[in-house]
Amino acid sequence: MKRFIMAASVSLMALASTQATAQVTEEEVANDQTITDQIVTNGMGRNLQRYSPLDQINTDSVQNLVPAWAFSLGGEKQRGQETQPLVYDGIMYVTGSYSRLYAIDVHTGEEIWQYDARLPEGILPCCDVINRGAAIYGDKIFFGTLDARLVALDLKTGDVVWNKKIADYRAGYSYTAAPLIVNGLIITGNSGGEFGIVGEVQARDTETGELVWTRPVIEGHMGTLNGEESTMTGTLNATWPGDMWKTGGGATWLGGSYDIETDTLVFGAGNPAPWNSHLRNAGTPVEGNAGDNLYAASRLGIDPATGEIKWHFQTTPREGWDFDGVNEVVAYTDRDGNDRFATADRNGFFYVLNREDGAFVNATPFVRDISWASGIDENGRPIYNEDNRPGDPTAASDGDKGEMVFAVPSFLGGKNWMPMAYSQRTGNFYVPSNEWGMDIWNEPVTYREGAAYLGSGFTIKPLFEDYIGSLKAIDPDSGDIKWEYRNEAPLWGGVMTTAGGLVFFGTPEGKFIALNDETGEEVWSFQTGSGIVGQPVTWEMDGAQYVSVVSGWGGAVPLWGGEVANRVNYLNQGGMVWTFKLAGS
C-alpha cells in the first residue's frame, strides 16, 4: 500500500526529472564506500566496514554539529527501529517497523512517498517487528517483509514492480535483514530460528524476482540452481542424528557480506533447533565433529553465481546456549597486509579468519567472565566447560527440567545483531557489546509447525551494577581492547567510523554520540528523545557532510531481556530520522 504527500509537488517534479534516468550500477554498488554522495548498500559498502572517508566532520569540528531536519515515522506504529538509511540522487530511503518504507527529500526532510506492506494475520516475528534496511540497484529499491516476502519498488514512484515469497510465514519464517546485491542478483537469508525452520540463502534476478539459486545451510537439504536440484548441503546425518536435520534451524537472519576480491558471499547461520543440545546429540558421539550440527552457528563462504558452499567455519559446534553464528563478517586488510575477515560472535569471542578460505587465524574474548568455554584451541574449536552446559532433562528425576546453570554471555550474546565498524584510519574494530549472563535450563520439546521450538528456559541478568553496554575498540592483530565506553543500558544499535577520527553510535537512553577513535573520549552528543537501536550513516551533499541516524527504542531487549528488561522499562518508544550537519556549512 502506497500513499503520496503532495505538498511538495514542485520539489517532487524536480526530483522526478533528475531520477528519470537514474540507474544504480554494479560499479556504483561495488564502490559504495568511496562514492561519498550516495549510500546504496547496507554497511556503507558490501564489506560491511561501516567506514567513511569523509572528514569535514572531525574531532575538532564535530562540536558544531546541529540538526538539519527530522522526520517522523508515524505515531501509531512505533516499536524498534533498527534500520540503516540509504541515500541516492537526492532521496533518502528508510525502512520502518511493520515492514514500511519511506522516500524522503534529503534536502528538506519532506516525505515523497511511503509504502506499507499488507501484513497478514498470524505473522510470527521472533524479536520485534523491526526491519534492518533495504538495497538499491538499477531503478529499484528492494526490502523484505515480516511475512517472509521480498518486494521490489520503483525508486521514483514507490510502485510495486514485483513481490516474491521467500518462505511460508505460517511455518514460522519471517524476514528482517537488508538484502545484498551482487552482479545483478539480490541475495537474501531468512528469519525464524526459534520455530524449527531451516536457514537458507536465496539469489534472485533483480529484474524479475525469479529464483536463480537456493542454498539451505543445514546438512541434508538440497540446493537448487536455475530451477533444478544442484547439490546437497553437507553429508546427510554426518553431524545430525535421525531426522532432526529436517527442522534444524540455522536461520540466516542477519543477511550477509560480499568480498569482491575472492568473489565470495559470507553468510552466518544461527542457532541449531531446538536449543536443547542433548536432543540434537541423542545417540551421537561428540568426538570429532560427529555431534557438531553443521552448518548451524557457522559462517559460510558461498559462490555468488551458483550458491555452492566454498568453505565454512563453525564458531560454536554442538551449540547449547543460543549462540547464533549470524554476526556480520567484515573484510579488511591487517597491518601486515594480510587479507582477513573479522567477526565478533554472540558467544563472546572475537575471531579473525583468512579471507581466501575462511581458515581460522585467531580468537580472543571481548566480554568478561565467559563461562561456557575456557578458550579457543589452535583449530578454532571451543575448549568447553562441560559443567556449564545446561543439563539433560532426561537425566532429571522427573524428566521435566534439566540442571540449571548460570552462563556468560547470555543468549542475547556478547554481541548480538548490532553491527560493529572498522576504521581504515586506526586499523581497529569498534564493537558494541553487552556484559550479561543468564540462568538457563533445558526442557523436553517436540516440533510442531508454527510453534516455538526451544526446549529451554532462561532469565537474563546483568553482571555489573553500574553498566551493561560496552563499546570496545579492539585491535584485531592482538585482540587487545584499546579502550571501552561503558553505558548503563545495553547497547543495541550499530556503529560507524570516519576518516575524521570519529566513532558514531547511539544508546537506549536516546543519546547519539561521537567518540574520539583513538581515545574513546566523548566529543559530541545529541538527545534524540527515544532509544537508538538503528545504524548511523554519513554522506556529502552540496559540499557539506551529513550524518543521519534513526531513533526508536525496541528490539529484543525489552521482549526477552528478563531482569535487564525490567531495568530499561522506563525508556520511551519513538520513530524519528535525525539528520545533522555542521552549523554554517
Side-chain angles (χ1 to χ4, degrees), residues 493-549:
V495 181
M496 176 182 69
T497 61
T498 74
L502 297 171
V503 179
F504 285 93
F505 71 107
T507 72
E509 294 92 338
K511 287 180 68 177
F512 187 39
I513 299 172
L515 304 181
N516 182 304
D517 63 7
E518 295 278 5
T519 66
E521 176 192 3
E522 183 176 317
V523 291
W524 175 86
S525 71
F526 179 86
Q527 176 55 245
T528 65
S530 181
I532 296 173
V533 294
Q535 309 163 57
V537 295
T538 188
W539 79 99
E540 64 178 346
M541 178 176 65
D542 301 329
Q545 182 182 353
Y546 290 77
V547 176
S548 285
V549 72

Side-chain angles (χ1 to χ4, degrees), residues 84-104:
Q84 178 208 288
L86 302 178
V87 176
Y88 187 71
D89 202 23
I91 298 180
M92 177 181 287
Y93 299 91
V94 179
T95 61
S97 56
Y98 293 99
S99 306
R100 297 172 291 166
L101 196 152
Y102 303 83
I104 305 165

Side-chain angles (χ1 to χ4, degrees), residues 183-200:
N183 296 325
L185 297 178
I186 182 164
I187 318 293
T188 57
N190 60 22
S191 305
E194 272 49 77
F195 295 94
I197 59 91
V198 173
E200 186 174 76

Side-chain angles (χ1 to χ4, degrees), residues 374-393:
S374 61
I376 306 297
D377 70 17
E378 67 276 8
N379 298 312
R381 291 182 67 89
I383 304 168
Y384 285 109
N385 294 326
E386 286 296 343
D387 289 343
N388 199 249
R389 181 178 296 274
D392 184 354

